[in-house]
Amino acid sequence: MMYVSRGLSRASRRFRGKIFGEPLSHRQATACRNLLPCLDSSLGDDPSLKVLGCRHISSWSWGLPAALYSIRHHIHHHSASIVEEQLDPFSLVADELSILANRLRAMVVAEVPKLASAAEYFFRMGVEGKRFRPTVLLLMSTALNVSIHKPPPDTIMGDTMTAELRVRQQSIAEITEMIHVASLLHDDVLDDADTRRGISSLNFVMGNKLAVLAGDFLLSRACVALASLKNTEVVSLLATVIEQLVTGETMQMTTSVDQRCSMEYYMQKTYYKTASLIANSCKAIALLAGHTAEVATLAYDYGRNLGLAFQLIDDVLDFTGTSASLGKGSLSDISHGIVTAPILFAMDEFPELRAVVERGFEDPRNVNLALEYLGKSRGIQRARDLAKDHANRAAAAIDSLPDSDDEEVRRSRRALIALTHIVITRAK
Amino acid sequence: MMYVSRGLSRASRRFRGKIFGEPLSHRQATACRNLLPCLDSSLGDDPSLKVLGCRHISSWSWGLPAALYSIRHHIHHHSASIVEEQLDPFSLVADELSILANRLRAMVVAEVPKLASAAEYFFRMGVEGKRFRPTVLLLMSTALNVSIHKPPPDTIMGDTMTAELRVRQQSIAEITEMIHVASLLHDDVLDDADTRRGISSLNFVMGNKLAVLAGDFLLSRACVALASLKNTEVVSLLATVIEQLVTGETMQMTTSVDQRCSMEYYMQKTYYKTASLIANSCKAIALLAGHTAEVATLAYDYGRNLGLAFQLIDDVLDFTGTSASLGKGSLSDISHGIVTAPILFAMDEFPELRAVVERGFEDPRNVNLALEYLGKSRGIQRARDLAKDHANRAAAAIDSLPDSDDEEVRRSRRALIALTHIVITRAK
């Protein structure tokens, strides 16, 4: 058993109990050692994690891989020797991500230029900075590239099968990104948000009307692309995801106090809003390759747990992060009356916090009161621990995949495991 | 050749050239004679059509079949004898429409009651009053119920095949209604419309937020239902329809003056916004039954031309109808700057009308000026003629279907042809 020791980030110093040891399996630790780079210290003076010989990785972000490409990656082993290697989850699939970005742009070229530019607006801002879903899905495609004895259903057999399969799996990555961007567009309309990730939201720039239409347009393009895969199980999976995105958004919007104070309800909503898309897309990748239900379930488990871990950390960072790093105002959840895991865990320790939640957070004094309770509770830490638990489960799912001797397959699996750590250790 | 003679409606008296003769094929005239009822004159004193012995049918409406069910239908033949018969397009499928309404309600029962009630809000108002799409699709299902020699693709063979096929075709009717209602919900958000069909729009009652979500919810349920049909060609067809609905809405929103003054652009937009859904749903009905491409194209042609005729008359009625009968303010298109067929035809006669269109219709004086030109032009009549032309093409598509001796099939075909007349002769 090895340990990752996490230091105090400045933003989170106001809360107690930030230092914790995180158990890793041997394989996870190896993956971590092989993949996690040590960033140049000039990138930031806010180290929040030490992994073995690796000093600073706090600037690693799931959400902002673009920054990574400009970094020379140095792998520190136990010895002091430095092995230079282009080996990180994002650079492993960088070329394919470029192809994907181009295909996405081509796909949104519609008959009506204004609508295409509206949809592309978000891709321009989004695809550059937020390629983590496609990255996961492309890595998963390679990670599952093991010999399958029975022919995949609904696919054309032949010499070009492998290449065709890859194109179909790339389609899933594109469709997933389209669904994701569509949900962002509609969420922006709903929330009347002026900014998202620090940029003006489309509805602020172009009006609600175009934002709703652009979202509808992307959803319909996603459906058309999905249908062209000619695999009805995959169509069902991703159609259900769209439904769950809507359900999750509505659950967040219309909850009673009992529901808002329920951890179970929170986790269900989090699954619908965040984890369902990546979970079911991972499963779709497996299904297209003709894998067994067991392998498809492992792919799903990976995506589900990665998504849950990601959102739990997102919810923690809404308290501990800064507005600049989150791309939106800090404390934005609670100030919108959205109760997340840290508060729910704090409520478990201090039941009187429920009365504060019941009064709502229109009054800033209630926000401050909730923060006081949160500060003296283990809420932040327990939310991080839960995220870590889900990250470990995601890694365990990869560990449970059928063995492969193919180095490319093994490297992609290590990259997927490394992503589970990037997710829980990111600081923005 | 027989003729339908149309009288002057009070509302349209301000425009010239309202009396015209409409050629009907023999089969169309027979269908009309057999199916079009003469309504009790107490229903309205605004007769706008005379069909052979049939005096008043102005209250027949595609949009409001509910009113029909309370009416005893008397079929006038050339003789004075009155044959009582429940034979009209809507009552032919009344029982199935009830099943469909119940299934639609069941389908929108989601995990979040508020969202279900939001979606059901429109069904409550909509399904009761606007069942014409399901009516067309159920009639088409029966009209195509002819023996097929090759087995239908993607369907399960066996004794229960016919019953199963019907359930799948009913699904298409339900999915079509869901897509239609979803587009209404999003259109209401977009237009910031306070009323639609005389009732408060959902976004006025419940807020934009819920209206967008309810629309998304219906679209995703439609996609799930579509995927469960396990026919990838049908999924593609209807996914494309959703895309075209969005494209049509955007074309209407973002047109240049050149585009706004183009008849071709108007027809393309009208196809996307109105005709594509019913055209492709009709085609889906044929595909599910395993028909040849030729038969599927005839089904598509029927839906396409019926939809175009419907919208052309809708555009005419925006000028000639009253606010009460349209369910929204009269002249609402032009006052929103939307240029439709009557104005485009008027512009063909009076090119100086283009300058008025270029100035826009924010100024009511421009609206009045446009109406003056329209009044002295043949714009209304030419729009009606074009609608009639499309109605005839729709009827011709039914006439071209493979012959059948089955009386039920033949009756459904007569009903579909009768609908083409109902569409072009409706006064609201």
Side-chain angles (χ1 to χ4, degrees), chain A residues 111 186 216 221 243 272, chain B residues 111 186 216 221 243 272:
Chain A
E111 292 177 43
H186 281 190
D216 286 351
R221 281 273 149 140
E243 189 179 309
Y272 285 156
Chain B
E111 290 176 43
H186 282 190
D216 286 350
R221 280 273 148 143
E243 189 179 309
Y272 285 157

Side-chain angles (χ1 to χ4, degrees), chain B residues 264-336:
Chain B
E264 197 186 354
Y265 192 86
Y266 162 85
M267 288 304 287
Q268 188 66 47
K269 181 205 74 180
T270 301
Y271 170 71
Y272 285 157
K273 267 183 69 83
T274 309
S276 169
L277 178 57
I278 190 70
N280 286 292
S281 307
C282 282
K283 186 175 178 183
I285 292 289
L287 290 175
L288 284 182
H291 280 289
T292 59
E294 288 72 25
V295 170
T297 300
L298 288 173
Y300 169 89
D301 285 345
Y302 174 81
R304 178 178 180 278
N305 285 294
L306 190 74
L308 292 175
F310 180 83
Q311 188 56 48
L312 281 161
I313 294 298
D314 218 46
D315 292 343
V316 165
L317 292 173
D318 195 57
F319 289 104
T320 65
T322 64
S323 174
S325 65
L326 274 176
K328 59 181 179 178
S330 209
L331 305 175
S332 80
D333 287 338
I334 195 166
S335 60
H336 284 92

Side-chain angles (χ1 to χ4, degrees), chain B residues 38-92:
Chain B
C38 292
L39 301 186
D40 190 294
S41 60
S42 69
L43 284 172
D45 58 352
D46 182 22
S48 60
L49 190 87
K50 291 184 180 182
V51 182
L52 306 172
C54 220
R55 282 176 308 141
H56 312 317
I57 64 162
S58 66
S59 296
W60 267 81
S61 159
W62 200 14
L64 292 161
L68 300 169
Y69 300 125
S70 62
I71 299 162
R72 292 163 68 89
H73 302 122
H74 305 274
I75 307 295
H76 285 212
H77 290 279
H78 286 279
S79 74
S81 70
I82 292 167
V83 181
E84 196 165 338
E85 194 182 351
Q86 284 293 335
L87 190 64
D88 71 73
F90 302 102
S91 64
L92 270 184

Side-chain angles (χ1 to χ4, degrees), chain A residues 210-273:
Chain A
L210 213 55
V212 170
L213 281 177
D216 286 351
F217 172 74
L218 280 175
L219 280 181
S220 61
R221 281 273 149 140
C223 287
V224 172
L226 205 47
S228 74
L229 291 176
K230 300 198 185 306
N231 182 313
T232 54
E233 192 173 358
V234 168
V235 174
S236 275
L237 269 188
L238 292 187
T240 306
V241 166
I242 300 173
E243 189 179 309
Q244 290 178 340
L245 284 170
V246 178
T247 306
E249 185 66 28
T250 320
M251 284 174 81
Q252 182 164 292
M253 203 178 102
T254 60
T255 45
S256 69
V257 173
D258 274 352
Q259 289 169 332
R260 287 167 73 208
C261 293
S262 155
M263 190 67 193
E264 196 185 357
Y265 193 86
Y266 163 85
M267 288 304 287
Q268 187 67 48
K269 181 204 74 179
T270 300
Y271 170 71
Y272 285 156
K273 265 182 72 83

Side-chain angles (χ1 to χ4, degrees), chain A residues 110-112 114-115 186-187 189-191 208-210 212-214 216-217 219-221 223-224 226-233 235-236 239-240 242-247 249-251 253-254 265 268 272, chain B residues 110-112 114-115 186-187 189-191 208-210 212-214 216-217 219-221 223-224 226-233 235-236 239-240 242-247 249-251 253-254 265 268 272:
Chain A
E111 292 177 43
V112 186
K114 195 168 177 180
L115 193 56
H186 281 190
D187 280 3
V189 173
L190 302 177
D191 299 342
N208 270 351
K209 189 162 178 162
L210 213 55
V212 170
L213 281 177
D216 286 351
F217 172 74
L219 280 181
S220 61
R221 281 273 149 140
C223 287
V224 172
L226 205 47
S228 74
L229 291 176
K230 300 198 185 306
N231 182 313
T232 54
E233 192 173 358
V235 174
S236 275
T240 306
I242 300 173
E243 189 179 309
Q244 290 178 340
L245 284 170
V246 178
T247 306
E249 185 66 28
T250 320
M251 284 174 81
M253 203 178 102
T254 60
Y265 193 86
Q268 187 67 48
Y272 285 156
Chain B
E111 290 176 43
V112 186
K114 196 168 176 181
L115 193 55
H186 282 190
D187 280 2
V189 173
L190 302 177
D191 298 342
N208 271 351
K209 192 163 176 161
L210 213 56
V212 170
L213 280 177
D216 286 350
F217 172 74
L219 280 181
S220 60
R221 280 273 148 143
C223 287
V224 172
L226 205 46
S228 74
L229 291 176
K230 299 196 187 305
N231 181 312
T232 54
E233 191 173 359
V235 174
S236 276
T240 305
I242 300 173
E243 189 179 309
Q244 292 179 338
L245 284 170
V246 178
T247 306
E249 185 66 27
T250 320
M251 285 174 80
M253 204 177 102
T254 61
Y265 192 86
Q268 188 66 47
Y272 285 157

Side-chain angles (χ1 to χ4, degrees), chain A residues 178-193:
Chain A
M178 282 192 280
I179 293 173
H180 171 62
V181 173
S183 78
L184 289 184
L185 285 166
H186 281 190
D187 280 3
D188 268 355
V189 173
L190 302 177
D191 299 342
D192 219 3

